Amino acid sequence: MATSHLNLFLLLTFLSTAPPFIISQENNLDAPPPQLPPSEQEAVYRVLNSVNSAIPWRTVFPDDLCASPPDGVVCDYPDASVATTSVHVTELHLGYVSDYAQNPPCSPNATLDPLLFASFKHLRKLFVYKCFTGARVSLPATVPEGFGSVLEELVFIENPSLSGEIGVLIGNFTKLRRLVLIGNGFHGSIPGRIFDLVSLQEITLSRNSFTGGFNATSRLKNLKVLDFSHNLLTGNAPESIGDLTELLKLDLSYNSFSGEIPPGVGKLKKLEFLDLSYNRFGNHGVPLFLAEMPRLREVYLSGNLLGGRIPEIWKNLEGISGIGFSRMGLQGNIPASMGSSLENLWYLALDNNNLDGRIPVEFGLLESASEINLENNNLTGEAPFSDSFRVGKKVRLSGNPHLLLVKESVPPLAGEVVSSSAASGDLASVCFLTVVMVLYILIKQ
Ligand SMILES: *[C@@H]1O[C@H](CO)[C@@H](O)[C@H](O)[C@H]1NC(C)=O
Ligand SMILES: *[C@@H]1O[C@H](CO)[C@@H](O)[C@H](O)[C@H]1NC(C)=O
Ligand SMILES: *[C@@H]1O[C@H](CO)[C@@H](O)[C@H](O)[C@H]1NC(C)=O
Ligand SMILES: *[C@@H]1O[C@H](CO)[C@@H](O)[C@H](O)[C@H]1NC(C)=O
């Protein structure tokens, strides 16, 4: 017991002197170094104690917490020219990040001291990683109005037992650049106030239990990332998404948005990543406005019953590297231009639709592809994928009962064709594929 405490002490002492959290600045040789105000020092102890009471924080870190801070507590010393007697905590990082980045660890019975939101007027970054994973913890019922007046990043990641409505948390964050709340127990609606925080560059609220809808505003002139994926959002996605003209990434996947995919999405001329998959968008076909989004690199619409045919829009979208159009009720032929235009394609999923006709021979040109999934359609004719084309690629074709695979490595037998259903699944290796084919042919004879 004593040894383990000593070890802990040594560890913490070592960590507390290790970079990058060393802060040493000789301000002025005559004046005493500026100090963390006692109330802020006390608040740090209280917060650390609330997340892990097993560590004797006051004993291990008895001195000014800015002069010799535990990892995860960062202070800003003012410029040497500024005459001041106090320093302040500007960053708090709580919980596990990795074996290489040490933060104050949280215990399974971690709680959240409300002083966290009341006492740090100079806080610019608050990071809480894998801290609330055991006993259920709620956000405080209210958060003082002054919280976050200089906050730039608010990041809660993988705290599944931390619940509550985030409305109380979202204050007058005029400086907030990143709002990242991933994998927590947050619920309730997405506060409309978020869309008034004009400095925001990223809003990522994925894997919580948010409900209802949202409306975007044109006030967010700096927003590059909007990610509401894996929540319980419903209703129409707002046309006002089109006002977020600087967006590079839009991810609304795994919610229950319904109705039409808002045409406003087509106004996002800088968008590179669009994921609307696994919602309930329906019955309007693949949106043609995709053709007017020149920077698009990845587009995922799988799991929405959009129906219709795959439109001929690919000549305008040569930069695309990922297309996910699975389970969309798509009909008709696969356009040849998908094969001839998409030189940078690495991922294409058209599986589980009602596509018919031949696979365009141009698909044999998709050299950069690493995965092509055409399973469970009604494709016919010969698949234009040679053995050499398949090297290093996953090509999935099973579940197309009338599709023919012609193997160039097997000497052609008179009238011999091989049903694609033998080549199902994940055949990464051509050797394996060849063995399966040879066995199949032997059995057939
Ligand atoms: C929390 O758990 C630690 C052991 O991990 C224990 O020492 C401490 O007393 C517990 N605190 C509370 C408030 O239950
Ligand atoms: C929000 O903060 C700004 C500057 O930090 C201040 O000017 C403004 O009055 C505050 N607004 C509210 C509603 O508190
Ligand atoms: C979004 O705006 C529309 C139209 O103004 C309104 O009907 C709807 O209730 C708003 N939704 C939310 C979540 O604020
Ligand atoms: C699949 O295509 C064939 C013709 O190639 C057609 O006879 C058959 O009805 C189609 N099956 C389905 C389920 O659409």
Side-chain angles (χ1 to χ4, degrees), residues 356 378 380 402:
D356 55 24
N378 192 18
T380 53
H402 308 290

Side-chain angles (χ1 to χ4, degrees), residues 357-434:
R358 302 170 76 90
I359 302 172
V361 289
E362 288 81 355
F363 269 46
L365 303 172
L366 293 172
E367 280 300 334
S368 63
S370 71
E371 179 164 353
I372 297 175
N373 188 346
L374 305 176
E375 284 178 353
N376 301 326
N377 282 290
N378 192 18
L379 299 167
T380 53
E382 286 175 10
F385 304 118
S386 64
D387 282 358
S388 55
F389 175 86
R390 283 168 170 260
V391 173
K393 296 182 173 62
K394 288 179 190 167
V395 180
R396 300 168 187 252
L397 301 172
S398 67
N400 290 286
H402 308 290
L403 189 65
L404 312 179
L405 290 189
V406 176
K407 310 309 300 170
E408 62 190 28
S409 62
V410 178
L413 305 170
E416 179 75 333
V417 293
V418 181
S419 162
S420 66
S421 55
S424 64
D426 178 357
L427 301 181
S429 140
V430 170
C431 296
F432 181 55
L433 178 66
T434 310

